[in-house]
Amino acid sequence: GENVEQHPSTLSVQEGDSAVIKCTYSDSASNYFPWYKQELGKRPQLIIDIRSNVGEKKDQRIAVTLNKTAKHFSLHITETQPEDSAVYFCAAVADQGGKLIFGQGTELSVKP
Amino acid sequence: DAMVIQNPRYQVTQFGKPVTLSCSQTLNHNVMYWYQQKSSQAPKLLFHYYDKDFNNEADTPDNFQSRRPNTSFCFLDIRSPGLGDAAMYLCATSSRGVRAPLHFGNGTRLTVT
């Protein structure tokens, strides 16, 4: 089955710096890769997603890149702000079984 | 304006006393999920409904049951809660299964005393 590894588990950056979170997946059939942001005590919310037919996708300060050959995908946040502080989860969906498998999460802290 | 609504927000139950958590949605999504999330961990899928079809995860304990009486409502029943079942329980919906964005409710935080 699919396994998703996420690194780092914690990340601290200064306001205005960039943050990068990386995930690897094991199932080469995986074809959908969402990222969720979860603020403390709140529900996870989708911030961006990418499908396997696309290599990169951007939405304002957030971008996601996908390398199918290496089976990894990354979240890039530029010009970080304190309100970006949260736990970020990557996930992958394989065609077989159609399950959404989450990474372990990255706690991002943006210091003013 | 909430689209996936979970009640109650906080639930306290006694060890072994059955408890039911509820979820309702106004999105008319055909897929509904129940996740368990423990502190500092990723959400763990317990089961989901694709329309009326129930799909149980292999490692979901028998202690956990679910009902979906109609499109809008879904319930999570914990028959005999143990201390290890204390967690945040998240309901989510999707219009097209897992390859579409999941819309999560605010969760129910369950405490077992």
Side-chain angles (χ1 to χ4, degrees):
Chain A
E2 176 65 281
N3 183 48
V4 179
E5 295 287 334
Q6 183 173 346
H7 299 281
S9 56
T10 61
L11 179 59
S12 181
V13 299
Q14 286 295 131
E15 182 177 1
D17 288 350
S18 294
V20 180
I21 302 171
K22 299 182 179 181
C23 289
T24 60
Y25 60 98
S26 60
D27 188 346
S28 57
S30 288
N31 55 18
Y32 175 62
F33 307 91
W35 286 87
Y36 286 85
K37 174 184 179 182
Q38 187 174 27
E39 296 178 43
L40 188 63
K42 297 190 176 181
R43 58 192 169 96
Q45 290 191 287
L46 180 78
I47 55 171
I48 196 166
D49 57 9
I50 191 168
R51 300 186 188 274
S52 57
N53 59 346
V54 176
E56 184 176 3
K57 184 176 178 181
K58 285 185 179 179
D59 183 3
Q60 299 182 343
R61 298 185 296 107
I62 294 173
V64 58
T65 58
L66 172 65
N67 182 326
K68 287 191 295 183
T69 303
K71 291 189 283 188
H72 68 68
F73 56 113
S74 300
L75 178 71
H76 304 253
I77 306 174
T78 58
E79 300 173 25
T80 53
Q81 301 166 4
E83 50 265 39
D84 294 330
S85 297
V87 178
Y88 292 80
F89 293 100
C90 64
V93 178
D95 200 46
Q96 288 283 54
K99 282 177 60 172
L100 184 67
I101 306 296
F102 284 95
Q104 297 88 343
T106 296
E107 184 175 0
L108 174 64
S109 176
V110 180
K111 299 188 184 306
Chain B
D1 191 38
M3 295 176 286
V4 181
I5 303 162
Q6 290 188 245
N7 285 305
R9 188 82 171 88
Y10 300 92
Q11 175 74 59
V12 180
T13 191
Q14 292 178 333
F15 183 93
K17 185 175 181 182
V19 65
T20 295
L21 311 182
S22 72
C23 177
S24 64
Q25 54 132 339
T26 59
L27 298 164
N28 203 34
H29 284 170
N30 58 339
V31 192
M32 293 187 79
Y33 305 84
W34 279 105
Y35 284 88
Q36 179 193 64
Q37 187 177 29
K38 296 189 175 180
S39 183
S40 303
Q41 296 183 20
K44 178 182 181 298
L45 182 63
L46 296 173
F47 23 60
H48 74 277
Y49 281 91
Y50 204 116
D51 293 320
K52 292 183 179 179
D53 293 334
F54 176 71
N55 297 273
N56 196 33
E57 292 302 300
D59 58 354
T60 297
D62 292 340
N63 199 22
F64 290 83
Q65 303 286 319
S66 184
R67 297 169 283 135
R68 189 180 186 186
N70 54 52
T71 300
S72 301
F73 286 88
C74 197
F75 300 97
L76 169 62
D77 300 308
I78 308 177
R79 293 192 296 187
S80 182
L83 297 178
D85 297 328
M88 175 73 83
Y89 290 87
L90 294 163
C91 173
T93 70
S94 171
S95 60
R96 291 179 282 120
V98 290
R99 290 178 193 78
L102 297 186
H103 297 262
F104 284 90
N106 285 325
T108 294
R109 182 164 295 284
L110 178 68
T111 300
V112 182
T113 60

